[in-house]
């Protein structure tokens, strides 16, 4: 039986570190408020001129090195982001050109914080049907250009950071390795609980100068609704995934949760009865990097030596849409 597995992984964050105190000099917030509400201590911001595909390129190079591959070994690219280089074409095309791998196919996934898991599920299916062998799956974000660093935008601006993560997925017939199961969900009735309305194609023209004097150009969030739904939906998702795979919480070596809020993940880990330390986190250093957060944390956990070949790893995410997803794999 052929399964797809991760054969290379890499991540990259831009060098500039922005502390909570630095944000507190721009808007009415504090290190204490941000830390206690979210767990975030600092995040990285890309410099002017650095795009989402640039961060994705660095992460991809590291994943290729880890896999012992060159760009020429790739058959397909899946690129997950909500901060694309441009509205079109997809950021995968920009990355493909930078990697010099035309004319392989590129697919952009616009599924917010679950984008990387949706992307991995698509790559997994393409590999299992035998269509492609080596697929590069990237999650990358440059949020810092689209955050309102004034008092009005403080509820959202303090949460997000820039970064990228990438994996190479390939087929394997090793029964003790690979993706065992994926679950993908969405509930579009909550699409406006966390969204950015500036690009409104129902308007003619879609954008007018007065839009810039409204709050439409910034992300808008109902933080409490996001928090409440994240805890409920992620709880159901983990229970479903474990039940359908006949796996007990204690059999899972590591849970890699999307990094939106440390309190959400701590609450979940406790409610679901996982051993302390099973849920790993790095939100303290990077904030919420949306599609990049799962590969970034998976890469750090792997490089720390915490994951061994054959370990059961559960990846879970919840985000705008609302969307939520899981992936269970043997490393
Ligand atoms: N600094 C200081 N005060 C802030 C602030 C900031 N950055 N942002 C909001 N506040 C204020 C609010 O204005 C409010 O003031 P008020 O009581 O005078 O009205 C107060 O803090 C409490 O706001 P509230 O929204 O109740 O805080 P909270 O405890 O719910 O925490 C979030 C806010 C955003 C941290 C929390 O709702 C959350 O994490 N939600 C999920 C967000 C998320 O994960 N988004 C990404 C999904 S992928």
């Amino acid at each position: 039986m052929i399964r797809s597995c991760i054969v290379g992984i890499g991540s990259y964050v831009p060098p500039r570190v922005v502390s909570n105190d630095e944000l507190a000099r721009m808007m009415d917030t504090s290190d204490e408020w941000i830390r206690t509400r979210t767990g975030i201590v600092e995040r990285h911001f890309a410099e002017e001129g650095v795009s989402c595909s640039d961060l994705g390129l660095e992460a991809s190079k590291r994943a290729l090195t880890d896999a012992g591959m060159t760009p020429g070994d790739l058959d397909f690219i899946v690129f997950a982001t909500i901060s694309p280089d441009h509205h079109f074409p997809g950021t995968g095309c920009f990355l493909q050109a930078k990697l010099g791998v035309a004319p392989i196919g590129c697919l952009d996934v616009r599924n917010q914080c679950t984008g990387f898991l949706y992307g991995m599920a698509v790559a997994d299916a393409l590999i299992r049907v035998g269509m492609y062998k080596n697929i590069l799956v990237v999650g990358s974000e440059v949020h810092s250009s689209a955050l309102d660093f004034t008092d009005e935008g403080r509820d959202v601006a303090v949460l997000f950071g820039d970064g990228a993560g990438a994996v190479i997925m390939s087929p394997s017939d090793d029964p003790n390795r690979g993706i065992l199961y994926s679950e993908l969900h969405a509930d579009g009735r909550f699409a406006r609980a966390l969204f950015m309305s500036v690009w409104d194609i129902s308007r003619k023209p879609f954008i007018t100068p007065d839009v810039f004097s409204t709050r439409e150009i910034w992300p808008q969030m109902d933080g409490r609704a996001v928090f409440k739904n994240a805890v409920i939906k992620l709880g159901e998702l983990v229970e479903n995934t474990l039940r359908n795979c006949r796996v007990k919480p204690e059999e899972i070596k590591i849970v890699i949760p999307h990094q939106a809020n440390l309190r959400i993940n701590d609450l979940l880990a406790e409610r679901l009865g996982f051993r302390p330390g099973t849920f790993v986190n790095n939100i303290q250093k990077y904030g919420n990097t949306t599609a990049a957060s799962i590969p970034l944390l998976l890469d750090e956990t792997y490089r720390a030596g915490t994951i061994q070949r054959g370990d059961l790893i559960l990846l879970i995410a919840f985000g705008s849409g609302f969307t939520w997803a899981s992936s269970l794999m043997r490393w």
Side-chain angles (χ1 to χ4, degrees), residues 12-327:
Y12 176 79
V13 288
R16 187 174 162 226
V17 178
V18 177
S19 67
N20 290 342
D21 285 332
E22 192 174 337
L23 293 184
R25 289 195 284 277
M26 297 184 235
M27 64 187 99
D28 182 15
T29 190
S30 66
D31 177 52
E32 199 265 337
W33 193 97
I34 302 170
R35 272 182 205 244
T36 52
R37 295 298 215 287
T38 70
I40 300 166
V41 177
E42 59 192 26
R43 73 286 290 143
H44 291 241
F45 282 175
E47 299 294 341
E48 173 105 33
V50 175
S51 70
C52 178
S53 62
D54 290 330
L55 300 189
L57 176 65
E58 295 308 318
S60 301
K61 285 184 192 163
R62 292 176 184 190
L64 283 164
T65 303
D66 186 47
M69 290 183 187
T70 65
D73 294 315
L74 296 175
D75 300 312
F76 195 71
I77 296 173
V78 180
F79 200 110
T81 187
I82 62 162
S83 48
D85 288 11
H86 299 282
H87 182 62
F88 73 86
T91 308
C93 293
F94 291 98
L95 175 67
Q96 188 232 45
K98 286 173 184 170
L99 282 168
V101 290
I104 68 168
C106 306
L107 170 72
D108 267 40
V109 172
R110 296 287 296 272
N111 271 69
Q112 307 72 250
C113 300
T114 53
F116 192 78
L117 294 188
Y118 268 74
M120 268 192 18
V122 170
D124 174 45
L126 291 172
I127 288 169
R128 280 189 292 110
V129 297
M131 191 161 169
Y132 296 118
K133 275 204 165 126
N134 302 323
I135 303 186
L136 171 65
V137 185
V138 183
S140 180
E141 305 288 358
V142 176
H143 286 310
S144 52
S145 326
L147 295 171
D148 175 12
F149 295 108
T150 70
D151 291 358
E152 273 190 291
R154 66 180 182 172
D155 59 329
V156 175
V158 300
L159 302 178
F160 292 92
D162 302 341
V167 297
I168 317 286
M169 290 172 58
S170 302
S172 167
D173 55 9
D174 181 344
N176 292 315
R177 218 182 153 186
I179 295 185
L180 306 172
Y181 178 86
S182 302
E183 222 178 279
L184 308 174
H185 298 280
D187 188 342
R189 291 172 298 177
F190 292 93
R192 288 182 168 76
L194 177 48
F195 87 131
M196 201 160 163
S197 57
V198 63
W199 188 283
D200 183 348
I201 213 71
S202 70
R203 264 193 309 239
K204 298 191 188 316
F206 71 98
I207 198 161
T208 53
D210 49 293
V211 165
F212 291 96
S213 60
T214 70
R215 298 210 49 75
E216 280 190 38
I217 60 166
W218 307 119
Q220 294 145 55
M221 178 179 76
D222 178 347
R224 284 185 186 177
V226 175
F227 194 101
K228 189 176 142 207
N229 280 278
V231 174
I232 294 170
K233 294 299 175 198
L234 285 171
E236 290 169 2
L237 175 76
V238 172
E239 281 171 353
N240 244 354
T241 302
L242 297 184
R243 188 174 49 248
N244 290 344
C245 297
R246 296 195 175 87
V247 169
K248 296 190 185 73
E250 56 271 26
E251 291 175 70
I252 304 279
K253 176 75 180 294
I254 291 289
V255 178
I256 305 280
H258 166 57
Q259 300 293 288
N261 187 314
L262 193 58
R263 285 191 298 151
I264 295 178
N265 294 339
D266 284 351
L267 214 69
L268 262 180
E270 199 190 309
R271 276 193 193 168
L272 294 167
F274 282 90
R275 281 178 285 106
T278 309
F279 272 58
V280 288
N281 297 287
N282 64 3
I283 193 171
Q284 300 83 348
K285 294 189 286 178
Y286 306 117
N288 182 346
T289 57
T290 309
S293 100
I294 285 191
L296 195 52
L297 179 55
L298 185 60
D299 185 39
E300 283 200 351
T301 310
Y302 159 68
R303 281 174 205 282
T306 316
I307 310 175
Q308 306 301 325
R309 179 73 61 236
D311 284 345
L312 260 186
I313 315 281
L314 177 63
L315 316 183
I316 53 168
F318 177 92
S320 158
F322 290 141
T323 56
W324 59 104
S326 69
S327 178

